[in-house]
Amino acid sequence: GTHIEAGNTVIANCGESAIEILYGGEYDFRHMTIGNYWNKSARSNPAVSINNYFYFDGNIYARDLIKAYFGNSIIYGNLENELLFNAAENSTFNYNFDHCFIRTQIDISNDENFVSCIINQDPKFIDKSVHNLVPDTLSPVINKGNISVINNSPFNLQTDIRGISRITNNEPDPGAYEFEER
């Protein structure tokens, strides 16, 4: 039930969800790399979980999810479904995924909340076993982002988390890291 704006952020290998939006709120996540490949024990929670309610004294209390925006982001991991929605009835539940790579079993083919998203295509990180979530040479994320996610951002995303320009060719890469030839 809070307000968060985050970009150029990596969240990796959590024993639970990497991002758990609870009780509604307003969220703007851009150029996030969420790679939940936790292998220290069994993990059943998806990398991203979104809800807009809570239980108290046996009752459900809804709180509006004003916005949960994910732009030019990667949500991937070792579960078949790394995305979960849980909405209370008769309440606001607004979410949008824009030019994201997502591992999910949700059918997004006719869902207007998913704009130019690619599902279940491995982002091919350099080495997820040592937390190196930079796109590798054959990564399908290369140049698959949308420059308007950067241009319309409330914060500066012209460079990646390492300071490498992602606006040079107007074709940014989803995630926190821009691909760079090695």
Side-chain angles (χ1 to χ4, degrees), residues 123-128 130 132-139 142 162 164 178-182:
K124 297 189 189 313
F125 298 122
I126 289 177
D127 192 348
K128 63 188 177 207
V130 293
N132 187 345
L133 302 182
V134 174
D136 206 350
T137 307
L138 299 175
S139 175
I142 297 170
R162 301 166 298 177
I164 296 170
E178 188 72 10
F179 173 76
E180 184 177 52
E181 291 286 340
R182 293 187 273 163

Side-chain angles (χ1 to χ4, degrees), residues 142-155:
I142 297 170
N143 296 333
K144 293 296 191 286
N146 185 343
I147 194 72
S148 69
V149 171
I150 296 167
N151 294 339
N152 298 325
S153 176
F155 39 90

Side-chain angles (χ1 to χ4, degrees), residues 22 33 61 67 72 114 121 141 146:
L22 301 172
T33 296
Y61 296 91
K67 174 177 88 170
N72 287 353
F114 293 87
Q121 194 171 101
V141 306
N146 185 343

Side-chain angles (χ1 to χ4, degrees), residues 69-127:
Y69 175 80
F70 290 80
N72 287 353
S73 294
I74 300 169
I75 301 167
Y76 224 80
N78 54 9
L79 297 182
E80 292 294 316
N81 192 18
E82 294 291 2
L83 186 58
L84 174 69
F85 299 107
N86 213 343
E89 293 183 23
N90 302 316
S91 61
T92 302
F93 196 77
N94 293 321
Y95 61 90
N96 185 263
F97 293 81
D98 182 1
H99 288 79
C100 294
F101 274 69
I102 306 168
R103 186 167 190 185
T104 185
Q105 298 303 306
I106 297 170
D107 179 9
I108 68 167
S109 58
N110 294 314
D111 192 332
E112 63 188 25
N113 295 305
F114 293 87
V115 176
S116 296
C117 291
I118 297 172
I119 64 167
N120 302 325
Q121 194 171 101
D122 188 336
K124 297 189 189 313
F125 298 122
I126 289 177
D127 192 348

